């Protein structure tokens, strides 16, 4: 399959999210993500605004669902999300509820293995419960806390090949990747490339070093789309 580029709109108001989304799509981005900050700030309104502005673009709602799985997935699907995120640290029944809602409302489910003691086993568990995609994720606080204690900051690349080999569904890697590392993800067998904080100097302003986010995104999209990933069963 051809790799997919997803941009995480980790912004806190709808206008900035719409402006950045339009720029990203012009540059060649395939999927939009209503990041957790946007969902916290604007909720369903943010997802509805993205769907209205971009009626044919896949939209990932990064809910990080831990409970109330069916209702959360239903609400986001009805607002226009095509993908929702449930956490591996949730109860199995919550994951099952999100998967059921996904089937009922035509929404794909992405299972996030953040904070799993065994990241590979967590990914396989999510697949077994019916998730459509795996997010292999090292959390922001986890990375920074470990680094602040003087230890090597963990990377999702550390276990990415093992996760990819353990499941038969597409995988994306998230958490502290540089742009160069993100572009390399398809070579690990992970076709869903997420762009977000690594592009930014100021995460609140969503600016690149030279201020030309669109040109930078275009080059990244071209590099990612030029690769191939073995088809998934």
């Amino acid at each position: 399959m051809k790799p997919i580029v997803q941009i995480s709109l980790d912004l806190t108001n709808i206008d900035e999210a719409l402006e950045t989304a339009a720029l990203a799509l012009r540059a060649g981005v395939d999927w939009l993500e209503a990041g957790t900050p946007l969902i916290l700030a604007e909720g369903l309104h943010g997802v509805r605004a993205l769907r209205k502005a971009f009626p044919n673009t896949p939209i990932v709602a990064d809910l990080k669902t831990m409970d109330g799985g069916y209702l959360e997935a239903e609400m986001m699907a009805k607002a226009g999300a095509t993908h929702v995120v449930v956490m591996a640290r949730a109860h199995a029944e919550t994951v099952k509820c999100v998967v059921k809602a996904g089937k009922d409302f035509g929404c794909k489910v992405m299972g996030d293995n953040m904070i799993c003691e065994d990241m590979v086993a967590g990914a396989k568990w999510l697949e077994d419960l019916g998730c459509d995609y795996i997010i292999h994720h090292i959390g922001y606080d986890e990375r920074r806390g470990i680094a602040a204690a003087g230890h090597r900051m963990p990377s999702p690349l550390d276990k990415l090949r093992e996760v990819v080999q353990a499941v038969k569904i597409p995988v994306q890697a998230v958490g502290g990747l540089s742009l160069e590392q993100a572009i390399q993800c398809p070579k690990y067998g992970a076709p869903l490339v997420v762009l977000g904080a690594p592009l930014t100097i100021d995460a609140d302003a969503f600016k690149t070093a030279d201020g030309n986010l669109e040109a930078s995104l275009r080059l990244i999209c071209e590099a990612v789309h030029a690769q191939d990933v073995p088809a998934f069963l």
Side-chain angles (χ1 to χ4, degrees):
M1 65 179 291
K2 285 292 184 183
I4 290 167
V5 180
Q6 171 182 322
I7 190 164
S8 179
L9 301 169
D10 290 326
L11 303 162
T12 56
N13 72 73
I14 290 173
D15 289 340
E16 288 184 4
L18 291 174
E19 180 181 354
T20 303
L23 176 155
L25 292 174
R26 289 196 304 269
V29 166
D30 305 294
W31 291 6
L32 301 174
E33 176 188 329
T36 306
L38 182 62
I39 288 176
L40 288 171
E42 302 284 6
L44 294 168
H45 301 296
V47 176
R48 289 194 188 103
L50 288 169
R51 174 51 65 221
K52 182 178 179 181
F54 311 106
N56 300 313
T57 302
I59 296 173
V60 177
D62 189 10
L63 293 170
K64 294 185 172 67
T65 294
M66 286 293 293
D67 192 25
Y70 192 94
L71 179 60
E72 287 195 7
E74 176 186 1
M75 292 172 70
M76 284 296 169
K78 288 181 175 178
T82 55
H83 298 69
V84 293
V85 178
V86 65
M87 305 305 292
R89 297 296 288 215
H91 194 279
E93 290 302 321
T94 298
V95 180
K96 292 177 185 178
C97 286
V98 174
V99 169
K100 177 68 163 58
K103 292 177 179 177
D104 289 347
F105 300 102
C107 189
K108 296 295 185 182
V109 176
M110 308 182 84
D112 188 323
N113 69 355
M114 188 174 72
I115 324 173
C116 286
E117 291 182 12
D118 185 328
M119 305 290 276
V120 178
K124 180 60 178 167
W125 183 77
L126 289 164
E127 179 187 38
D128 290 343
L129 289 173
C131 291
D132 302 290
Y133 300 87
I134 296 298
I135 303 172
H136 175 49
H137 189 179
I138 308 294
Y140 177 84
D141 292 335
E142 178 184 358
R143 299 193 312 270
R144 293 179 63 86
I146 290 172
H151 305 295
R152 174 187 171 275
M153 186 181 294
S155 166
L157 297 185
D158 296 341
K159 295 278 187 179
L160 182 54
R161 289 192 192 279
E162 293 178 56
V163 170
V164 167
Q165 291 168 1
V167 300
K168 294 183 173 66
I169 55 178
V171 176
Q172 66 177 208
V174 181
L177 297 179
S178 68
L179 288 178
E180 292 75 13
Q181 289 172 326
I183 292 169
Q184 293 298 312
C185 282
K187 298 186 184 306
Y188 287 75
L192 305 178
V193 176
V194 183
L195 305 175
L199 276 173
T200 66
I201 298 301
D202 180 345
D204 295 325
F206 217 92
K207 294 186 296 188
T208 54
D210 61 3
N212 192 341
L213 177 58
E214 186 170 345
S216 298
L217 277 174
R218 184 170 292 108
L219 291 173
I220 293 164
C221 288
E222 290 172 356
V224 172
H225 288 147
Q227 302 177 63
D228 285 300
V229 178
F232 287 83
L233 302 176

